[in-house]
């Protein structure tokens, strides 16, 4: 391995940029700078931070074409997808900048009868320094969900982008600095390298760590953070299912599912990987979905539907899932094993693979989708809930959505659409089970990057009846047993 991190285009292998591989010393130094900057950043208050974040957003907007072009080169996604990703990230920066003060304002609490001479409040205070380990699939939008939120809540951040997208990470961090020349560099620090750099960040004294990536690496991150009891947010993979009920608008469902399954080459944690369709509409639905998927064109041209697989080793995962599904009796209606090329994967649709197959049970992260025929919506719900994951999902139905949504064991659901929740800056995003825990985005995300401080203030003393003093009156002590029974024994 070279002593430099060389980032290359997944479409052409052209070198995009080189970066240092930061080891423990450099990572600790970055965290130390972030710690020093934390006092300054917290001192800016919500108003000052809002100005800085909006400056950053404006700067990113003005340089967005340059950023989108870099995303096309380093991540491989078409320009339109890159532009969309930047647009969504900017929406999120604007939302947290404008809402952090309100969401995280101190809350008054009732002190209760026994301590009624007190006032009580809960403050939401930043952790200090937050480490963010980001993925490559949405190299701006996904880490931004943690970074902008943590910054708005008053933390400083040390960001380790994926080894596949360090230049995009550097552009994003440099933009903050360019937009806020008066801010110390430690407000948002960048460290680059491979997994070891991420592991070093977990052990470098951060106060919280936000990770997005795979479950196996998430477990390693948690183990490293556990050594110092560093709390973590885990945004892991998904195996999202769409349920297509017999009363669904099938055209709309097929169109949304084709996009949810194949958009961004299927490299979307909340992408649709499985579909459960009621038997009565199966043939018609499959007919439309097949046509939609067949029309999709992967490539690097301007009008391509999606780009290459960003991480080359993912090709093997996708191939294995397709092979396994077909070996188990699944029928390839669109594409098949031959759809996995050297860089690109064409859309694949497999009908009725076994429930135990890898294509149903493991995150594929490619432009493939399974369709399983069900005899009832009860069966659809049972199968949709039948994996270890619990990120998002979708329901397509004109009249049954209200009944189906509460039965899905996921943290996000779209109705008659896909992915909508991720684009809304006011909505939380996170998982359960193998999909992780904790929340980014929206008010829940802002709170995730703060801890609470309960403040109880004695407003006036009541001589003799102070429960928290050895000076309390004898009659009060004698009254206690009756008080307990009167208050709680009735
Ligand atoms: P990883 O989980 O391995 O990597 C995610 C991030 O963690 C990267 O920045 C990576 O750095 C870093 N990392 C790797 N090892 C360690 C470690 N020991 N300690 C701390 N940080 C570490 O995901 P991959 O990129 O390898 O993708 C594998 C699978 O993960 C995909 O197939 C997909 O299923 C899933 N995934 C899910 C995502 C989601 O949005 N939930 C996003 C991306 C992937 P580096 O890249 O430098 O190795």
């Amino acid at each position: 391995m070279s002593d430099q991190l060389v980032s290359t285009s997944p479409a052409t292998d052209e070198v995009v940029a080189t970066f240092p591989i930061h080891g423990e010393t450099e990572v600790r130094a970055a965290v130390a700078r972030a710690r020093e900057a934390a006092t300054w950043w917290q001192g800016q208050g919500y108003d000052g931070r809002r100005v800085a974040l909006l400056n950053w957003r404006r700067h990113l907007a003005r340089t967005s074409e340059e950023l989108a072009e870099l995303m096309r080169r380093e991540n491989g996604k078409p320009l339109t997808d890159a532009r969309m990703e930047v647009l969504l990230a900017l929406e999120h920066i604007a939302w947290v900048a404008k809402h952090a003060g309100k969401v995280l304002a101190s809350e008054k609490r009732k002190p209760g009868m026994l301590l009624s001479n007190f006032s009580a409040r809960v403050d939401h205070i930043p952790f200090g320094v937050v480490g963010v380990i980001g993925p490559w699939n949405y190299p701006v939008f996904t880490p931004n969900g943690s970074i902008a939120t943590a910054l708005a809540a008053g933390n400083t951040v040390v960001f380790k982008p994926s080894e596949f997208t360090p230049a995009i990470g550097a552009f994003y961090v440099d933009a903050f600095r360019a937009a806020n020349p008066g801010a110390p560099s430690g407000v948002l620090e960048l460290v680059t390298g491979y997994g070891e750099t991420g592991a070093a960040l977990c052990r470098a004294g951060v106060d919280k760590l936000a990770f997005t990536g795979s479950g196996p690496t998430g477990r390693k991150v948690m183990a490293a953070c556990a050594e110092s009891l560093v709390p973590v947010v885990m945004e892991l993979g998904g195996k999202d299912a769409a349920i297509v009920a017999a009363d669904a608008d099938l055209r709309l469902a097929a169109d949304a599912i084709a996009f949810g399954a194949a958009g961004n080459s299927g490299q979307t944690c909340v992408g649709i990987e499985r579909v459960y369709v009621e038997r009565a509409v199966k043939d018609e639905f499959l007919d439309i979905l097949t046509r939609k998927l067949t029309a999709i064109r992967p490539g690097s041209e301007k009008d391509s539907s999606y780009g290459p697989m960003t991480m080359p080793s993912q090709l093997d995962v996708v191939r294995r899932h397709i092979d396994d599904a077909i070996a188990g009796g699944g029928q390839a209606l669109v594409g098949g094993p031959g759809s996995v090329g050297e860089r690109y994967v064409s859309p694949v649709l497999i009908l009725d693979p076994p429930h135990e197959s890898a294509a149903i049970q493991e995150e594929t992260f490619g432009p493939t989708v399974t369709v399983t025929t069900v005899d009832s919506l009860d069966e659809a719900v049972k199968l949709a809930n039948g994996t270890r994951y619990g990120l998002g999902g979708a329901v397509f139905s004109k009249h049954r959505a209200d009944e189906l949504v509460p039965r899905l064991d996921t943290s996000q659901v779209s109705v008659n659409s896909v992915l909508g929740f991720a684009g809304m800056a006011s909505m939380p995003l996170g998982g359960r089970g193998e999909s992780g825990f904790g929340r980014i985005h929206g008010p829940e995300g802002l709170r995730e990057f703060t801890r609470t401080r309960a403040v109880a203030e004695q407003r006036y003393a009541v001589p003799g009846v102070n429960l928290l003093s050895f000076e309390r009156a004898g009659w009060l002590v004698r009254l206690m047993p009756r008080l307990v029974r009167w208050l709680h024994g009735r």
Side-chain angles (χ1 to χ4, degrees):
M1 198 183 281
S2 104
D3 55 357
Q4 293 267 299
L5 172 60
V6 182
S7 130
T8 56
S9 158
T12 61
D13 291 337
E14 149 216 20
V15 172
V16 176
T18 53
F19 289 89
I21 296 173
H22 289 136
E24 199 186 315
T25 311
E26 292 91 348
V27 174
R28 280 193 177 275
V31 172
R33 286 192 296 276
R35 176 131 349 257
E36 211 176 305
T39 310
W40 182 87
W41 186 237
Q42 283 167 23
Q44 299 303 299
Y46 290 111
D47 288 345
R49 291 196 292 270
R50 186 179 63 233
V51 170
L53 290 167
L54 294 178
N55 287 345
W56 183 30
R57 165 222 196 194
R58 198 175 310 110
H59 185 92
L60 281 168
R62 288 178 181 163
T63 54
S64 60
E65 278 302 289
E66 210 183 314
L67 174 57
E69 174 55 26
L70 178 63
M71 291 163 78
R72 188 191 65 76
R73 285 173 61 213
E74 193 179 49
N75 165 283
K77 61 181 69 191
L79 267 182
T80 310
D81 284 5
R83 287 174 179 140
M84 178 84 145
E85 183 178 337
V86 172
L87 179 61
L88 287 177
L90 297 182
E91 292 276 319
H92 280 251
I93 294 176
W95 195 92
V96 291
K98 289 174 186 166
H99 291 84
K102 198 168 168 206
V103 170
L104 300 175
S106 294
E107 296 165 50
K108 278 200 166 141
R109 296 285 167 92
K110 290 209 163 79
M113 192 192 80
L114 296 176
L115 295 164
S116 54
N117 56 327
F118 277 65
S119 69
R121 70 165 201 273
V122 173
D123 298 336
H124 300 279
I125 55 176
F127 280 96
V129 181
V130 172
V132 175
I133 298 179
W136 40 264
N137 54 338
Y138 290 91
V140 174
F141 177 73
T142 302
N144 180 72
S146 297
I147 295 170
T149 315
L151 286 172
N155 304 280
T156 54
V157 172
V158 180
F159 173 35
K160 149 63 177 82
S162 163
E163 71 191 63
F164 296 102
T165 52
I168 298 167
F171 189 104
Y172 172 84
V173 168
D174 288 347
F176 183 89
R177 293 176 182 171
N180 295 290
S185 79
V187 173
L188 178 55
E189 283 280 338
L190 179 83
V191 291
T192 51
Y194 296 95
E196 293 74 27
T197 307
L201 182 56
C202 299
R203 297 190 169 96
V206 292
D207 302 298
K208 178 139 189 167
L209 194 121
F211 171 81
T212 309
S214 64
T217 305
R219 285 172 172 82
K220 288 187 203 163
V221 166
M222 277 184 79
C225 288
E227 292 167 15
S228 323
L229 290 180
V230 172
V232 292
V233 187
M234 290 278 134
E235 292 296 331
L236 308 179
K239 193 74 202 173
D240 290 8
I243 294 178
V244 180
D247 71 341
D249 177 334
L250 298 182
R251 222 158 264 290
L252 179 143
D255 184 62
I257 287 168
F259 181 77
N264 205 40
S265 323
Q267 304 169 125
T268 303
C269 56
V270 287
I272 298 294
E273 299 208 352
R274 301 175 290 149
V275 178
Y276 297 98
V277 60
E278 282 199 280
R279 193 174 296 280
V281 293
K282 171 200 147 189
D283 289 340
E284 191 183 345
F285 170 71
L286 278 176
D287 184 50
I288 309 172
L289 183 61
T290 302
R291 276 190 276 125
K292 295 268 176 206
L293 289 174
T294 313
I296 290 173
R297 294 271 165 264
S300 298
E301 294 74 44
K302 263 201 171 135
D303 56 350
S304 299
S305 312
Y306 59 77
M309 301 302 283
T310 306
M311 186 173 74
S313 60
Q314 198 62 33
L315 291 161
D316 295 334
V317 177
V318 177
R319 196 178 293 112
R320 177 168 64 79
H321 287 196
I322 296 170
D323 289 347
D324 183 52
I326 292 172
Q331 188 189 351
L333 294 187
V334 176
S339 303
V340 183
E342 277 183 21
R343 297 177 195 274
Y344 298 89
V345 181
S346 308
V348 177
L349 190 172
I350 299 175
L351 179 64
D352 291 330
H355 184 65
E356 302 69 37
S357 61
I360 295 278
Q361 294 297 334
E362 294 171 29
E363 184 172 47
T364 307
F365 233 52
T368 65
V369 65
T370 63
V371 176
T372 301
T373 320
V374 291
D375 288 314
S376 67
L377 289 175
D378 286 345
E379 187 187 358
V381 168
K382 188 169 169 234
L383 292 172
N385 288 339
T387 74
R388 296 170 298 148
Y389 297 91
L391 199 53
V395 169
F396 292 88
S397 171
K398 287 190 185 124
H399 305 293
R400 314 267 319 253
D402 287 349
E403 164 202 335
L404 293 170
V405 169
R407 298 175 64 193
L408 288 178
D409 208 359
T410 67
S411 308
Q412 287 81 223
V413 185
S414 301
V415 176
N416 294 326
S417 177
V418 291
L419 309 176
F421 47 78
M424 296 175 192
S426 62
M427 292 278 266
L429 185 85
R432 64 144 199 96
E434 192 64 27
S435 298
F437 53 84
R439 295 292 180 265
I440 57 172
H441 300 171
E444 292 78 6
L446 283 164
R447 285 189 205 107
E448 181 77 51
F449 291 102
T450 60
R451 60 188 171 85
T452 53
R453 178 171 52 206
V455 182
E457 182 181 342
Q458 181 166 264
R459 289 180 299 140
Y460 52 89
V462 189
V465 295
N466 187 354
L467 292 172
L468 308 174
S469 165
F470 291 120
E471 309 281 303
R472 61 203 163 207
W475 62 266
L476 182 64
V477 175
R478 286 191 297 280
L479 188 68
M480 204 72 81
R482 266 195 284 159
L483 191 64
V484 169
R485 283 197 297 276
W486 182 69
L487 283 177
H488 299 289
R490 288 180 293 163

